[in-house]
Amino acid sequence: MRPDDPVVLDLRGVTAKAAFMDRCAAALALPDWFGRNWDALADSLGDLPRPLTVVVTHWQGYARTAPRDWETAQEVFATAVEGSAGRLAVLLALGEPPDDPA
């Protein structure tokens, strides 16, 4: 992966906060000590080692099954982007992308 390649945060099948945090930890290569809570995610997004674009895919199911958590996730992402001085972008893929045959 090139340094400027976007990171895909695929939320396919995620219906709960714990799974969301696990996906964030894996996609963003967060350290083992990542606390898997909203404050820890906010801190981690503020401490990224390089500029990063995150593309969130298949988020619709999580938004439907855990609307409050999804709202909080959006707030955490928005706050991190606002405080990143242009080093972080979080994009939501609209529509249901096709399944990847790979």
Side-chain angles (χ1 to χ4, degrees), residues 24-80:
C24 286
L28 301 172
L30 299 178
D32 290 339
W33 50 261
F34 169 61
R36 287 175 169 70
N37 61 60
W38 298 119
D39 289 337
L41 180 59
D43 290 345
S44 296
L45 291 171
D47 291 337
L48 294 170
R50 64 178 175 87
L52 186 64
T53 299
V54 179
V55 179
V56 184
T57 62
H58 297 99
W59 55 269
Q60 296 87 342
Y62 184 52
R64 279 190 301 272
T65 59
R68 283 194 169 157
D69 284 342
W70 176 241
E71 184 176 327
T72 301
Q74 290 178 87
E75 290 170 5
V76 168
F77 286 142
T79 299

Side-chain angles (χ1 to χ4, degrees), residues 1-8 26-29 50-54:
M1 173 172 33
R2 297 186 341 231
D4 57 345
D5 285 341
V7 170
V8 175
L28 301 172
R50 64 178 175 87
L52 186 64
T53 299
V54 179

Side-chain angles (χ1 to χ4, degrees), residues 10 12 56-60 93-100:
D10 185 351
R12 179 188 339 249
V56 184
T57 62
H58 297 99
W59 55 269
Q60 296 87 342
L94 298 179
E96 291 285 346
D99 290 332
D100 185 23

